[in-house]
DNA sequence: AGTTTGACTGGAG
DNA sequence: CCTCCAGCCAAAC
């Protein structure tokens, strides 16, 4: 495996996140898989943590593999609920129901 | 240049 | 349901 090109990886992540439809979600590991670097779920998180509001990316539509919101990001849950997404009593999303299916 | 951190993950306890 | 943990690997220290 060649060394990862962070410049390209970052752009791929942006382009993928930008495609997530309103009312649907995906998770870090899935984005990593789509970029061709399935072992870099953490790196996807690192990239998204640096996204600014000016970039206008729907990064709130990205949750963890268990359907949980980002710890410490207070408005994450309400941003998703504003798109019609319902949380279970344990504070998790039903991924079966909301997962974004790539065409 | 070596160590710790982190918007992760899946499995164990 | 929750916490903890090993494996993960580039970024930040």
């Amino acid at each position: 495996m060649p060394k990862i090109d962070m410049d390209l990886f970052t752009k791929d992540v942006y382009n993928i996140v930008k495609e997530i439809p309103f009312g649907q979600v995906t998770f870090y590991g899935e984005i990593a898989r789509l970029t061709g670097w399935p072992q870099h779920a953490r790196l996807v998180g690192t990239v998204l943590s640096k996204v600014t509001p000016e970039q206008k990316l729907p990064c709130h539509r990205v949750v963890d593999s268990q359907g949980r919101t980002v710890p410490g990001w207070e408005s994450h849950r309400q941003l998703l609920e504003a798109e019609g997404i319902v949380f279970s009593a344990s504070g998790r999303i039903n991924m079966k129901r909301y997962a974004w299916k790539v065409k």
Side-chain angles (χ1 to χ4, degrees), chain A residues 15-85:
Chain A
N15 288 327
I16 292 166
V17 171
K18 198 166 53 181
E19 294 302 311
I20 307 174
F22 182 97
Q24 293 192 269
V25 302
T26 191
F27 57 99
Y28 303 94
E30 176 65 5
I31 293 174
R33 191 178 65 73
L34 293 173
T35 64
W37 297 96
Q39 70 279 55
H40 287 70
R42 297 189 87 130
L43 200 43
V44 173
T46 299
V47 169
L48 293 185
S49 73
K50 295 173 183 162
V51 170
T52 63
E54 290 70 52
Q55 294 177 285
K56 300 181 177 63
L57 288 174
C59 49
H60 58 281
R61 293 179 189 146
V62 181
V63 294
D64 78 10
S65 68
Q66 309 307 303
R68 290 176 297 232
T69 55
V70 177
W73 185 1
E74 306 310 321
S75 55
H76 195 181
R77 174 169 176 160
Q78 52 182 318
L79 282 171
L80 292 172
E81 293 179 321
E83 300 197 355
I85 293 173

Side-chain angles (χ1 to χ4, degrees), chain A residues 4-20:
Chain A
I4 188 169
D5 179 338
M6 281 309 292
D7 217 52
L8 181 58
F9 180 77
T10 300
K11 287 174 183 165
D12 285 345
V13 170
Y14 288 169
N15 288 327
I16 292 166
V17 171
K18 198 166 53 181
E19 294 302 311
I20 307 174

